[in-house]
Amino acid sequence: MTPNEIYDTRQEQILQAALSLIADQGADSVSMNSVANLTGLSRPAIYQYFSSREHVLAEVVINEIADLSNAIDEKLAQHSSPLEQIRVWIHYSLAHLASPEHRAIAEISMQSLPAESQRMIKAMHGHLLTALLSPIVEIGIKDAPATAHLIFASVSASAKRIKDGGDFAKEAAALEKFTIAGISGALRE
């Protein structure tokens, strides 16, 4: 392995250890010591890859958003109908936000992350909304940004209901009906 491959592999080991800790014990359990113990690396070695616990957590969040964004972009590219793209965005986003993996990541407080990571995360969330905004604009809704934010808020609320014990299939069906009705109403304006 090249030095770059070793670096990437160890960095990925650290992030996977952090994810495992978050899933098992919550975000507060992530420390440089706990990550070192899980990876078999020394604590000083962890600092060669991440300058702090907060940087490890920020990278976990950034990777999750990047993976979601890439997956949504791929899914949307498979459909030419803007309405179908909106449906795909809704269902894929809901499945992601309602997943146990995301719920664990959502525990990480933005306030505890480094400022530059917070800015990057906000920009990445913006990209996720842009993936929804494009088909909304294409359909012809006048206030597309407001519509995109309302759809995102509805997806988030549905994900919370699922987290609280709601049935995924029922929530997804209700969310789609609600969104399509809202889009239909916005088109009549």
Side-chain angles (χ1 to χ4, degrees):
M1 278 214 251
T2 68
N4 284 342
E5 290 171 330
I6 292 170
Y7 183 90
D8 290 345
T9 299
R10 287 195 178 143
Q11 193 172 40
E12 185 58 30
Q13 282 178 299
I14 293 165
L15 294 174
Q16 289 303 314
L19 278 170
S20 177
L21 287 165
I22 292 167
D24 293 344
Q25 303 167 35
D28 290 340
S29 70
V30 177
S31 68
M32 297 308 242
N33 277 336
S34 62
V35 169
N37 289 336
L38 263 176
T39 61
L41 298 169
S42 68
R43 187 170 178 245
I46 302 296
Y47 283 102
Q48 292 176 2
Y49 302 94
F50 296 96
S51 61
S52 68
R53 165 193 185 275
E54 290 74 22
H55 282 100
V56 172
L57 293 173
E59 193 65 27
V60 165
V61 173
I62 288 167
N63 284 353
E64 187 212 14
I65 296 170
D67 290 347
L68 174 61
S69 185
N70 290 335
I72 285 178
D73 287 347
E74 286 176 21
K75 299 282 184 197
L76 295 184
Q78 297 171 9
H79 303 277
S80 59
S81 161
L83 192 55
E84 189 58 28
Q85 289 176 335
I86 293 168
R87 283 186 175 120
V88 167
W89 191 96
I90 289 168
H91 286 280
Y92 200 84
S93 296
L94 179 60
H96 179 79
L97 291 179
S99 72
E101 295 80 16
H102 176 76
R103 281 184 252 150
I105 300 292
E107 247 189 69
I108 299 169
S109 169
M110 277 287 282
Q111 290 78 23
S112 69
L113 302 180
E116 69 273 6
S117 297
Q118 288 179 26
R119 286 189 293 276
M120 182 180 287
I121 290 165
K122 286 178 183 176
M124 294 172 84
H125 273 115
H127 178 77
L128 279 173
L129 275 181
T130 299
L132 175 61
L133 186 62
S134 295
I136 291 171
V137 167
E138 194 173 331
I139 284 177
I141 293 177
K142 290 180 185 159
D143 195 353
T147 301
H149 281 91
L150 288 169
I151 291 171
F152 179 75
S154 298
V155 170
S156 296
S158 293
K160 183 180 181 330
R161 287 175 50 86
I162 293 165
K163 176 187 169 207
D164 293 342
D167 179 68
F168 181 88
K170 287 180 182 176
E171 288 295 328
L175 175 61
E176 183 175 329
K177 285 179 189 175
F178 177 79
T179 303
I180 299 307
I183 289 171
S184 297
L187 286 171
R188 286 190 290 252
E189 290 180 353

